[in-house]
Amino acid sequence: MNHTNIITTNIKSKAEFRLVDQMINIETKRRVLLVPEAQSFDILTACYIDGEFTIVSHYDLEQELIDKLASV
């Protein structure tokens, strides 16, 4: 697993919150672009937050797809 893009959420201000929100969006887009089959599942979040892989989608995703997103 690639844990080099872990986002932490020890937020102290609105500016930090906006920065973390942007980081989550960028990391999610990166992962979805690297896993083409994920692009049709309306994935809102797919990244490591505080050391745990977090995924949010309007669909129930198969574990295989989640594992691919977690590993890129």
Side-chain angles (χ1 to χ4, degrees):
M1 259 184 242
N2 178 358
H3 293 282
T4 58
N5 297 316
I6 295 174
I7 298 167
T8 59
T9 57
N10 187 8
I11 300 171
K12 294 180 175 71
S13 69
K14 285 185 181 182
E16 282 183 293
F17 173 80
R18 289 186 191 108
L19 178 61
V20 168
D21 189 49
Q22 288 177 337
M23 291 169 59
I24 289 170
N25 290 337
I26 290 167
E27 183 60 16
T28 297
K29 288 177 185 177
R30 183 188 76 79
R31 288 176 185 276
V32 171
L33 285 172
L34 291 172
V35 181
E37 60 267 36
Q39 294 177 15
S40 60
F41 287 99
D42 197 21
I43 296 172
L44 306 172
T45 301
C47 63
Y48 283 91
I49 300 175
D50 292 334
E52 183 176 329
F53 188 70
T54 303
I55 189 155
V56 177
S57 173
H58 292 288
Y59 298 91
D60 290 329
L61 303 177
E62 293 184 15
Q63 189 61 45
E64 181 180 347
L65 183 58
I66 294 170
D67 293 343
K68 284 182 182 181
L69 287 164
S71 68
V72 295

